[in-house]
Amino acid sequence: ISRGDVVAVTDDQAICANPAPLAAVRVRLHPKDDFMKPVSLLRQFVPPSLLITNSSTGQAPMIDMDDEDAHIVGVVLLSHRRFSLRP
């Protein structure tokens, strides 16, 4: 999934509670340094509790949901690469 892509995300609790390994997920994270400013992220789920990025431009730090206040709140069902006809 790249910047500008269109994604369809489900917030079905049963799916969010048991995402497939390596599924792209939407995560709600309350950072330790500023707990009152939660952020939403797209990450890849690695069971049982890791959230990673898989990027050609560099990896963001892993998030361990057992150690961080992070919760899966959505699972990406499909993504579509948006393209431009501009050169």
Side-chain angles (χ1 to χ4, degrees):
I1 300 172
S2 297
R3 184 180 302 257
D5 289 357
V6 177
V7 295
V9 179
T10 182
D11 63 356
D12 181 281
Q13 290 183 356
I15 295 172
C16 291
N18 192 24
L22 303 181
V25 295
R26 181 174 169 250
V27 178
R28 183 102 166 148
L29 171 69
H30 291 265
K32 289 179 181 178
D33 59 342
D34 198 350
F35 185 81
M36 296 307 292
K37 292 189 178 179
V39 294
S40 290
L41 306 166
L42 281 180
R43 291 292 178 105
Q44 206 169 7
F45 174 67
V46 177
S49 63
L50 288 181
L51 301 166
I52 64 168
T53 60
N54 187 4
S55 172
S56 61
T57 60
Q59 307 303 326
M62 289 187 299
I63 298 169
D64 187 339
M65 293 189 300
D66 289 341
D67 295 335
E68 301 281 341
D69 188 4
H71 307 280
I72 295 173
V73 294
V75 175
V76 175
L77 299 176
L78 63 97
S79 65
H80 179 72
R81 177 70 33 101
R82 194 172 90 179
F83 64 94
S84 173
L85 297 176
R86 294 183 216 167

